[in-house]
Structure formats: C-alpha cells, structure tokens
Amino acid sequence: MSNPSQAFGGFITILTGALSYGFKGIGQIFYFATPIMLTGLSVGFAFKTGLFNIGASGQFIIGAYAGIYTSVAIKSIGPAHWVLALLASFVAGSLWALIPGLLKAYANVHEVISSIMMNYIGMYLVNYLVGNSSFLFDQKRNQSVPVPEYSQIPKMGLDKVFPGSSIHGGIIIAIIAVFIINIILNKTTFGYELKAVGYNRDASKYAGINEKKSIVLSMAIAGALAGLAGGLLYLAGSGKHIEIVDVIAAEGFTGISVALLGLSNPIGILFSALFIAYITEGGFYLQLYNFSPQVIEIIIAVIIYFSAFSLIIQSFVSRFNKRKGEKE
Amino acid sequence: MDYIIEMNNITKEFPGIKANDNITLKVKKGEIHALLGENGAGKSTLMSVLFGLYQPEEGNIKIRGQEVSINNPLDANELGIGMVHQHFKLVHNFTVLQNIILGVETTENGFLKMDIAKEKIISLSEKYNLSVDPDEIISDITVGMQQRVEILKMLYRDNEILILDEPTAVLTPQEIDELMGIMLKLVKEGKSIIFITHKLAEIKKVADRCTVIRRGKYIGVVNVKDTEIETMSEMMVGRKINLNIDKSESKPTDNVLEVRDLSIKSNREGHNKNIVDNVSFNVKRGEILCIAGIDGNGQTELIQAITGLIQSDSGQIILNGEDVTKKSIRYKNTHGLSHIPEDRHRYGLVLDYNLAENSILQQYFEPSFNKKGFLKQYNIKEYGEKLIKEYDIRTSQGIRTITRSMSGGNQQKLIVAREISRNPDILVAMQPTRGLDVGAIEYIHKQLVIERDKGNAVLLVSLELDEVMNLSDRILVIYKGAIVASLNPNNITTRELGLYMSGSKREG
C-alpha cells in the first residue's frame, strides 16, 4: 500500500512526470492525445448539434477494425496505403453512427440508448470478426496481427523532433480535424443548420431546415471522427492490437471527459485532450511511489466533477443576474 | 381601519436595479384591487414581497392593521394570503382532490382521511359555482378548470386574501367571463382579491380600484368606475396609447393565397371528426383577413398546414397562383410566405442563438448571407443591426444578445421584424400579440396595417375579440374546424362575433 507521506511527491510526479524524459515525454503526450482528441471531438461535435454520442467507443473500434482489415487484407497500393486504411476507418465509424442517427431522426429513438447498444454490438462484432479471421488473428497472443509497415501512419518527421517516443503523423491529422470541425461549426451555413437543429428542432423545421437530415449527418460526422480515432491508434505501428476481450474501448469514454472538459468547443477539446494525456502519462510514473496508475483516472474524474461544479455555479450566478435584469 | 393589506413605501433593490421604488399598495376588505403595469414594471416583485419570497429594503407591510414581517410563503399562508401563479403549480398526474390537500392533508393515526377533505371541497365548489370534480386527474381537465382548482386550493386553506397573477392570459373569452363571475362571487363572500394584469378591459369590468406602477415606481391609485380606460393606459405606459387603429378602407386586389377544401384528420384515437373540416377561403392583396375563434377550434392546425409545419389530409393550398400543397416549408418561405408563429419559443426563435443569428433564420443560405457555404459574418451583423434600428428592438448587448435573455415583447418584435423584412406577399400572423404589453401590441398592430397598406396580404389569427374587431378588414369565424361565418367588421358588434365564435350562431 502507498504511504501518505509520499502524497506530495506523487502529486509533483503527476504534474511533472510527463516532462521528466524531455522531448520523448512530450512526444508521448501527443501520442496519447491523438485518439482521445478525436473521440472528444466526436462527442463534442455531436453535443454542439444537440446529440449525446455515447457510442464513440463502438464507432472507434469499428473504425479500428476497418483500418486494420484494409491494411492487412488488401494488397498494397504503395506508400499511400495508410490513407486508404484511414479512409476505411473514417467511413466505417460514420456508418456505425448512422444507425443511431437514422433511428433518432425517423423513429424518435433516443441516441443515448441506441448508441450504447451499438457499443456492445460493435465490440462483439469486432471480436468475432478478428477471432474468426484466418489472416487477422494472432492465435498465440489472442489479438489482431500487426499491420504491415506500408500501411502504418508515417511519422512525418515528428520522430526526429521527439526521439524515442511513439509519436506519429496522427497528431497532425487530429489537429487538422479540430480546425476543420471548428470552421464547420462556426463559419459555415452547414454548421449554422446543424446547431440550429441541436438547439431547437421545431424552430429549425419552421425555418425550412431539413431537421431529419441534419440529425443523421451530425451523427455520421461524429461517428466518422471516432472511427478515425480508431484508425489513427491502431495503424500507428506502436504495438497496439485489437485484443479479443469483452471490454468496451476506453477511448470512447475518455472522449466524453475530453469533450466535457473542453466545453465541447473544438479548440477547447484540443487542449483538454493534451491535458488529459499529460496527466495520464504523469500517472504512469506514480508507480515509482507505489501508487497504482489508476489513481490518475480518479483524479481526472475529480477534475471533471469540479469543472462541472464550477459551471453549475457559473450558470447559477448568471441566472440570478438575469432574473434581476427581468425584475427591472 | 378598513384596509386589509397595507404595503407602505416598499423599496426592493437588486444589485444595480430598483425593482420596486417606494411603492404603496392598499387593499380594502372585500374589494377587487387591480395591480396594473407593463411587463417588467415590478408587479411580480411586489407580490413576491407580499408573499414572503423577498424581503424589502424599506417600507412595511400591515395585514388587518397589524404590522407583520413575512419571511416565507408559509408565513403568508398563516396570514391568509394565497396566490394563483401565472404558471399553475399542480401535480399533473394527481387528482384535483390530491392536489388541493397537498401540504395540508387531513390524517387520522397517520393515515390519510380524504373523505372530510372531499366533502369540504365539494361544498366550497358548490358555494362559489366552481363546478370542479374532485376525482378528476389534472392532466385531463382544461386550463380554465385547472385555474379553478388553484382557486379552490386557496379557499380550502381559508385564505382571505387572494392574489391572481395574470389569470386571464391562458383563458378563452368565455372562460374569462366565468372567471370574472367567480371573482365577483368571492368578494361578495368577503374575500379580497389582488388582480394582477395588463388588460385594461378586464380591470374596467371587475375591479373596484386600481394601483398603477411603471418601471418600479408608484404612479397612482384610481377608482376604476370614475376612470377612463385611456387614462389608465396612459398612466401605465407613460404616454398616450392608441389601440383604436386608424386605418383607411382596404382596397383588396388579386388573390395571394387560396385555400381549397382543406381538411385535417384528428390523430387522436377514437376521434374521427376532422380537426380542420373542409375549409376554403382566399386572402387578397391589401387586406387583413382575420380568422376568429376560440382556442382549440382548429386554427392552430389550419395555420400549420398552410405554412407547412404539418401536412393536410386533403385539399389544396395555392400561393400566388401556384399549387404549393406538397411543397416544402423552405419553398413557401422563399416564395412569398412569412409566418409569425403562435409559439415564439418553440417555433419562432432558436433561443440559444443571438439576435443576429436569429434574424437570418430563413435566409442564411441566400447569396446575401452565404458565400460558397460560408456565412458572411459582416452582412449578418449589418442586417441584425438594421432590424434593431428599424424596428426599435431593445436589447442589452445589441446583435450579440442571446435571444433567450430578451423580454417577450422584444423577442416578438424581432420575429415580426424578421418576417416583415423578408418582403412577403402574405404575412401569416398567429396570435402575434399574445402575452405582450400595450406598448408592444400597439406597435405590432401598426406594423400589420403598414404591411397591408404596402399592398401585401395579411392573414391574422387571433383569440382577442378587440384585436379582431380593430384590425381586420374581413372576418372568418372558425368553429370546430369549420368556417361558420364570413363577416364584415363594420356591420357586426363584438357581442355578435362572440356568439358566432361560441357556436351559438351560424351563418345561413
């Protein structure tokens, strides 16, 4: 068991641990941040358009499977093979989210229920598909085979800047996605429509917006982002494989934390993903003090609780101020 | 000492704002005392002080001559003060009986004894002609009936002083008449009523005296019998208000909208009557056609079908000579139809968008606001500012104001501004002045007449008889989904119109 006198040292480790190996550590932060930035973006984007995408985990793992399948099963098309594989992840995640989207738009099935179910369906389906595949399954390790080098995401020179880390070009793709989503949400008529439907479906209908189409598209885009996250993590060539275990991918749920902490704002999500990756990495070094690394998950949960509390208090204060205004 | 309530020199301050500034309200025993003021004048704050929800900074309250301090609603209840809030506080899946005794349950050895309570309720209900059935579930009874349950709740608690906060806002003309009867009966039995409203005609009808407040300040108290409606409205608004619209004779020209044999089936189970039953009419350029009727007679569905929010089951809608029955809402919006919706929060505005974003709700995709899929922020800003200026919309932060934080009157002004600025051929206005104060009503009425005089058509749906009589050039009366009369407002009286609306009279 851990010793209370080590608490301070442990605390310092959480805050600085990620930096203790210099550029390698920073590279690791980006590596950890890549998938959760995208799942966070997926949840945050859906949230901005009035949907709660709790199914990012399912879309993530389906995306990962599609990526691995495309890279292993299809003959190499040359150095751009990884683009094809990522595209497969993107499309697969999008299709997986399309189902709850359609159900929501046309049958009024709440997306929380249907996307939770899609998480389980996705997980078991991928386990089945990998476990029963002759060429994807590594029987000895009970996991998927490594992806061939030609379909791994290139390092884009980042390994030179952060030597020794697992960083790869995925972080650049994730950051580009953040900016694209930010532009879509805030600058385009498309984003204007999606947000309007999210805020008020009836008023959007009144305004002549096809609100059913908007819901389906929102969900599909959110799913595509989560699928892309799966592709970026499993095609990184960093020794990550789909393991045949009955556990829902954690990245989807971490995405919810990231989105909450970033207030669903794309730029906020970029930084909250880096922050959570940073303290998660610091958490690994907690073992030096006999703390279990799971402590960091508790700490993240506490941080999110307190940011939620601060928001509640904030909205309470502003509501109070507004009331005063009305009583004028 | 004949005042039952004296609120002397009440001042209630919120940081930065004096919501009540030296207000005095004295209510005699056994009178109906109206409290008149525009939205936001401080009526609710004053009543919250009386009800113990706020503590005043200055001033005192005397009940039956005794100075009291009311710290919470329970204290108020002790003193015999009861309040019917504008939004009822009822448990929807409870019966009337259960709602009334909630909080003052009669028990015996810890078990509920409903029988005594039920008897008392029935006798109270008979005494005041409330005709409330104690065993009915709240969600099954009409809004008017729910209000009576609220009144019964106060009577059951033996309250002597009843505060009614905007009680007529949700009622039909007939229900209003009945409510007025009940109020008169209550004061005859010795109760005292504070009647909060901004509807002058109702004050004139039932109130004995009237206290007027404006922007948190006490303006005066008048004897209703000796005071003209115009005088009271001037006191309330601070300037002369003209609700009698000066408008020239209409000169209707060609048809803009034609509705032919429109029917909508009821989708409630067991109802095979049509909600809208074979309705045909047309609206011409340069006229205001008004559809009058009591709420719930199919006018909501009729308008929703015309504007495209719901589909009709049969019939045709022809806009500018083109059959648009099956066309999308967007098509209608861009082909000359503007719509001021009945429910401005549900349909009219995206409340979390700011003013500028709401001002382009149906136009964001047009070339003036959209370039290759990107919003033209500068033009949107300009447009929002233009609307604020031209239509005198009051906001705290200009175009950046989130519409949720705007007052109801200004929200409605924004919708009216947006719909008129789209230069429609026909403006469909569904209860455009509902819940607004006199100043805003006057303004919106003027805008509708201006639209007409520009040579556009206006289709107005209103539940307010005065509005119908004042504004319209032609009146259609809708009753149980069918048009039962087509009238000329110059040739009929309000009373006659009321008879058509209630279905007691039909045109040949």
Side-chain angles (χ1 to χ4, degrees), chain A residues 183 186-193 195-196 199-200 202-203 205-209 322 324-328, chain B residues 14-15 19 40 45 54 309 329-330 339 345-347 349-350 353 357 362 364 373-375 377 418-419:
Chain A
I183 288 170
N186 296 320
K187 304 275 180 214
T188 65
T189 53
F190 178 55
Y192 178 90
E193 280 179 0
K195 280 192 293 179
Y199 285 134
N200 186 340
D202 290 318
K205 188 177 177 191
Y206 157 85
I209 296 169
K322 213 182 80 190
K324 274 180 334 209
E326 280 169 4
K327 298 270 149 114
E328 197 181 342
Chain B
F14 294 108
T45 308
Y54 294 133
L309 285 171
I329 295 176
R330 168 132 320 156
H339 175 201
H345 289 169
R346 185 166 170 204
Y347 291 108
L349 296 169
V350 176
Y353 268 174
E357 288 167 323
Q362 299 108 319
Y364 64 90
F374 284 83
L375 293 167
Q377 305 287 358
R418 180 183 72 203
E419 296 309 311

